[in-house]
Amino acid sequence: MSLSIRNQIPGTVTAITPGEVMATVKVRLTGGQDITAAITLESAEELGLASGTAVRALVKSTEVSLATAPVEGLSIRNQLPGTVTEVTTGGAMASVKVAVDGGELTSAITRDAVTDLALTNGTPVVALIKSTEISLATA
């Protein structure tokens, strides 16, 4: 299956917390970072997720926000440090590639945000991703 989702980072499930309808799934990415995905319990069961399951964390580029430093006092659990490797700007929007340990993320943000944050190649950033915006796929 081919997907238009550019952000596909491999990892391994380390824990699952089931709820009535949703489950939180902790994943250790190949770069060593831990992320949390919130998916339906039905999906977790259909994928056969268990501790040790190899997965790919999938995130649309429009769901990756960027900050120039770690953010405290925020409900977004997933904060991945990285470095900007490429910035491509258009009339209103920009595509920013960020190298993170074990992979690369692409963030689609406004051109104004790129300017306000002074993002250029080499800028250290933190990629922010809500757990509800991470999908999981098995290998």
Side-chain angles (χ1 to χ4, degrees), residues 41-135:
L41 183 59
E42 181 179 6
S43 292
E45 292 169 350
E46 286 177 2
L47 291 170
L49 298 181
S51 187
T53 302
V55 295
R56 281 188 149 327
L58 309 172
V59 185
K60 290 175 58 177
S61 61
T62 53
E63 301 303 333
V64 178
S65 297
L66 299 176
T68 55
V71 182
E72 293 185 25
L74 188 66
S75 66
I76 297 175
R77 309 293 0 135
N78 301 306
Q79 297 192 28
L80 302 174
T83 304
V84 173
T85 59
E86 183 179 331
V87 178
T88 305
T89 56
M93 297 296 292
S95 175
V96 181
K97 292 189 179 194
V98 177
V100 297
D101 287 344
E104 180 180 73
L105 290 170
T106 299
S107 174
I109 59 176
T110 65
R111 182 179 179 157
D112 289 346
V114 168
T115 301
D116 291 348
L117 296 174
L119 299 180
T120 60
N121 289 359
T123 303
V125 293
V126 177
L128 306 167
I129 309 165
K130 291 178 63 171
S131 60
T132 53
E133 300 305 328
I134 296 176
S135 297

Side-chain angles (χ1 to χ4, degrees), residues 6-18:
R6 289 184 269 172
N7 297 316
Q8 301 183 26
I9 301 177
T12 304
V13 173
T14 58
I16 300 172
T17 304

Side-chain angles (χ1 to χ4, degrees), residues 21-40:
V21 176
M22 300 290 288
T24 57
V25 182
K26 302 256 188 220
V27 176
R28 167 91 21 100
L29 301 177
T30 57
Q33 316 92 317
D34 292 315
I35 63 166
T36 301
I39 64 174
T40 64

